[in-house]
Amino acid sequence: ILNVEQSPQSLHVQEGDSTNFTCSFPSSNFYALHWYRWETAKSPEALFVMTLNGDEKKKGRISATLNTKEGYSYLYIKGSQPEDSATYLCAFRMDSSYKLIFGSGTRLLVRP
Amino acid sequence: DTAVSQTPKYLVTQMGNDKSIKCEQNLGHDTMYWYKQDSKKFLKIMFSYNNKELIINETVPNRFSPKSPDKAHLNLHINSLELGDSAVYFCASSQHETGWVYGYTFGSGTRLTVV
């Protein structure tokens, strides 16, 4: 059974704080690691797709790193804003399979 | 223009009924998926079609049957609905060659409630 685990489960921060979350995945047969942002009442939106060990990706104040040898990825948000409040999902893709295995997400709430 | 659209958005139905959920994408993607959000909020893959061919068929009851009339559509038919089928079902699509760059595009979900 392939498990993708995310921590923490939820996080409350103050506006302006920087924060990060972890995604752990199987380190064997790695193909890709996806990060999605999921706002309430909307659909998940792709943030990053990462494929190479040591990869770092950035979009505005959000960035992510990848370590495929040890099976983890970090998502960082610099200077959190209330509009960053959402659930952040990571998903693991093994080999060249079409299947994405999702973690349960980290729910972020940014207080003004 | 919605990229991946699901209908209906909400579906309330009685146990034992047969219902369908429709999904359409206008992105020109070649692969479509059905995911179920379970009680612990995990998104679990159910089915996937690539160019109208079934490529993922997870362990789901055979009361669930996907149908892909063409690359742009993937419907989910559920027979003899049970209380435990109540969940949010998400459709998604991707382009196989570039899905590793852009990720998957999700629909907004169909909340199915079986009473």
Side-chain angles (χ1 to χ4, degrees):
Chain A
I1 296 177
L2 296 171
N3 277 333
V4 176
E5 295 183 1
Q6 291 188 245
S7 62
Q9 206 167 25
S10 66
L11 196 52
H12 293 191
V13 301
Q14 208 61 38
E15 183 176 353
D17 287 350
S18 293
T19 186
N20 65 85
F21 339 122
T22 305
C23 172
S24 302
F25 52 86
S27 55
S28 57
N29 301 318
F30 175 86
Y31 187 81
L33 193 282
H34 294 216
W35 280 101
Y36 289 83
R37 182 169 177 273
W38 193 359
E39 288 181 76
T40 304
K42 294 188 178 178
S43 45
E45 287 183 17
L47 283 173
F48 306 114
V49 178
M50 309 174 79
T51 56
L52 298 174
N53 184 43
D55 227 357
E56 287 189 34
K57 298 236 173 173
K58 190 173 156 95
K59 188 183 279 192
R61 294 178 292 98
I62 305 177
S63 59
T65 60
L66 179 68
N67 183 324
T68 61
K69 293 190 188 320
E70 294 179 43
Y72 64 83
S73 174
Y74 294 137
L75 188 81
Y76 300 91
I77 303 180
K78 188 176 173 183
S80 304
Q81 300 296 307
E83 57 266 28
D84 296 329
S85 298
T87 297
Y88 292 83
L89 295 172
C90 72
F92 166 75
R93 187 170 162 182
M94 184 174 72
D95 294 332
S96 59
S97 113
Y98 289 85
K99 195 191 304 188
L100 270 189
I101 299 165
F102 280 85
S104 58
T106 292
R107 190 171 176 180
L108 174 68
L109 179 64
V110 182
R111 294 193 213 89
Chain B
D1 239 9
T2 305
V4 179
S5 59
Q6 295 180 226
T7 52
K9 201 171 168 66
Y10 299 96
L11 182 55
V12 181
T13 188
Q14 288 191 319
M15 271 175 53
N17 282 351
D18 302 339
K19 288 291 177 188
S20 292
I21 307 172
K22 296 188 176 187
C23 180
E24 176 181 3
Q25 53 95 3
N26 62 6
L27 298 166
H29 287 169
D30 61 3
T31 309
M32 296 184 73
Y33 312 82
W34 276 112
Y35 278 83
K36 179 182 179 181
Q37 186 181 16
D38 69 15
S39 55
K40 294 184 180 175
K41 306 295 185 190
F42 279 91
L43 285 171
K44 292 274 174 74
I45 182 74
M46 299 174 71
F47 302 105
S48 178
Y49 271 76
N50 172 257
N51 284 318
K52 301 198 297 172
E53 183 188 342
L54 182 65
I55 55 169
I56 296 176
N57 187 355
E58 289 295 283
T59 310
V60 298
N62 57 16
R63 298 180 293 103
F64 288 78
S65 55
K67 287 217 171 26
S68 181
D70 55 58
K71 271 187 355 177
H73 296 84
L74 179 60
N75 303 323
L76 183 65
H77 189 76
I78 315 170
N79 287 329
S80 304
L81 277 154
E82 299 178 357
L83 293 176
D85 298 331
S86 296
V88 183
Y89 293 85
F90 285 91
C91 177
S93 72
S94 71
Q95 183 63 24
H96 184 52
E97 296 86 24
T98 56
W100 63 273
V101 175
Y102 300 114
Y104 294 9
T105 304
F106 282 84
S108 56
T110 295
R111 182 174 291 277
L112 170 67
T113 304
V114 183
V115 296

